[in-house]
Amino acid sequence: MSGLPGPSARHVTVRAPGKVNLSLRVGPPRPDGYHPVASVYLAVSLAETVTAVARPDGDARITLAESTRRPSSVDTRDVPWDERNLAHRAALHLRQSLGLAPETHGVHLEVSKQVPVAGGMGGGSADAAAALLACSVLWDTGLTRSELAELAAPLGADVPFAVTGGAAVGRGTGTELTPVAARRPVHLVLVPADAGLSTPVVFRTLDELRSLGRAPEGQGEPAVDADVVRALAQADPLALALAMENDLQTPAVTLFPELSDVMDVGLDEGALRAMVSGSGPTLLLLAHSEQDAARLATAVQERTGVAALAVHGPVPGANVL
Ligand code: ATP
């Protein structure tokens, strides 16, 4: 982390990416209630920005940046701007884990959101990752990126990946990461929904559908889709389209049936594949190229009235601006 601001920095701004899961295999719940997953994560060019400003009074505060308060931007009504916010929890977690004195490690976090809230794109996790790195630099902890990713795991399954970024296989609850090579950028169109889906509710619905025989059973330790990893390494969008899978798609569509119609529009407009992103309801459409993604985004927006976004990945993890 050379070239980062040193201990004299009084404010640090960090950008951290949202993610999509190109593959998400989910096993049955373990005795501790967690579902084991095998996921292929891709960090995408839609990012959150967090600025950490030193507070001499030792307090920890969090606010939404003015730029995100415009009506046209992300709907942040369901985000708590207090100690329940994942970025706020990340700052306190770092302070406590390192035994830093609160009196001399106060911070104000200002969060600028671009990633849809409760959209299955890990926006809260990106905020937490950005807050971790910003506070780590502000407090001159000297932690490396991999140490920060390790420290991030208790905050949430997707937080370590938002620290490391790129493309990676995630196992366990998603926090055990192995980087994956992607030879060329993957071009996608993201279609956000006008309402969110609760991740725990989507997982519970998957369990219910499986117990009713309405969704395929999951393996105890789900296996990673090797074809997805291969398609990324070979930069083959058609192979990727065939290999992509998401076990959470059936429960997400059961809870939010309109998603099927939007996926049909995407396919009708030439998407190579339409799939729910993570626990949804954001949809991802796979495109051939950057130009194709731009065209597809415009076409889907015209037909559905939803602001579709052309993005690409992999992009780096949390980084200081
Ligand atoms: P994931 O796929 O990682 O489960 P998601 O992308 O579906 O998450 P988030 O946008 O991370 O969903 O938010 C899920 C919920 O977490 C929100 O509804 C909100 O109540 C809560 N939350 C806490 N902190 C944040 C934050 N900084 N940004 C967004 N939501 C937050």
Side-chain angles (χ1 to χ4, degrees):
M1 300 210 288
S2 60
L4 301 184
S8 60
R10 305 316 294 153
H11 64 88
V12 179
T13 299
V14 171
R15 185 160 51 198
K19 57 85 188 169
V20 296
N21 304 81
L22 295 174
S23 169
L24 183 54
R25 295 300 198 177
V26 181
R30 303 185 307 208
D32 65 3
Y34 281 99
H35 291 77
V37 301
S39 163
V40 182
Y41 283 114
L42 183 75
V44 295
S45 55
L46 187 65
E48 306 280 77
T49 309
V50 174
T51 297
V53 185
R55 275 184 72 102
D57 60 5
D59 253 2
R61 297 279 171 87
I62 186 158
T63 50
L64 176 65
E66 194 61 49
S67 57
T68 319
R69 293 189 194 150
R70 291 191 302 263
S72 61
S73 54
V74 175
D75 182 353
T76 55
R77 277 173 298 183
D78 288 341
V79 180
W81 296 103
D82 53 30
E83 64 289 340
R84 291 167 298 165
N85 192 295
L86 213 48
H88 190 282
R89 283 174 43 207
L92 294 198
H93 174 64
L94 180 70
R95 198 164 76 175
Q96 278 158 9
S97 304
L98 300 182
L100 303 173
E103 311 80 79
T104 45
H105 295 85
V107 68
H108 183 122
L109 300 169
E110 195 184 54
V111 182
S112 174
K113 291 192 71 72
Q114 299 290 317
V115 177
V117 173
M121 289 192 59
S125 302
D127 295 337
L132 269 183
L133 177 56
C135 290
S136 178
V137 173
L138 187 71
W139 298 335
D140 195 32
T141 67
L143 290 175
T144 63
R145 186 174 293 275
S146 61
E147 286 167 338
L148 270 182
E150 212 169 297
L151 213 130
L155 293 164
D158 296 333
V159 187
F161 179 69
V163 172
T164 55
V169 164
R171 288 174 226 259
T173 57
T175 59
E176 296 157 31
L177 297 169
T178 312
V180 163
R183 222 176 65 209
R184 264 194 251 127
V186 176
H187 294 281
L188 299 164
V189 172
L190 300 174
V191 191
D194 53 10
L197 272 179
S198 153
T199 303
V201 172
V202 176
F203 274 96
R204 254 198 324 272
T205 305
L206 173 67
D207 297 338
E208 282 164 21
L209 291 172
R210 281 178 168 169
S211 71
L212 296 169
R214 288 171 51 203
E217 284 300 324
Q219 297 170 339
E221 274 309 319
V224 174
D225 277 321
D227 290 348
V228 173
V229 175
R230 210 170 301 121
L232 273 177
Q234 292 171 347
D236 183 343
L238 287 173
L240 185 58
L242 287 174
M244 282 163 52
E245 269 324 321
N246 182 0
D247 286 348
L248 295 181
Q249 176 156 313
T250 302
V253 172
T254 302
L255 292 163
F256 207 137
E258 299 86 340
L259 294 178
S260 291
D261 303 334
V262 183
M263 285 195 278
D264 285 346
V265 171
L267 293 171
D268 193 44
E269 291 296 340
L272 297 175
R273 181 75 194 266
M275 198 171 84
V276 168
S277 170
S279 55
T282 302
L283 297 176
L284 60 89
L285 307 175
L286 181 64
H288 283 278
S289 63
E290 187 175 2
Q291 295 86 329
D292 188 38
R295 179 203 58 75
L296 188 57
T298 308
V300 170
Q301 184 157 342
E302 272 169 12
R303 282 183 57 182
T304 62
V306 177
L309 298 159
V311 299
H312 64 270
V315 300
N319 59 89
V320 178
L321 295 183

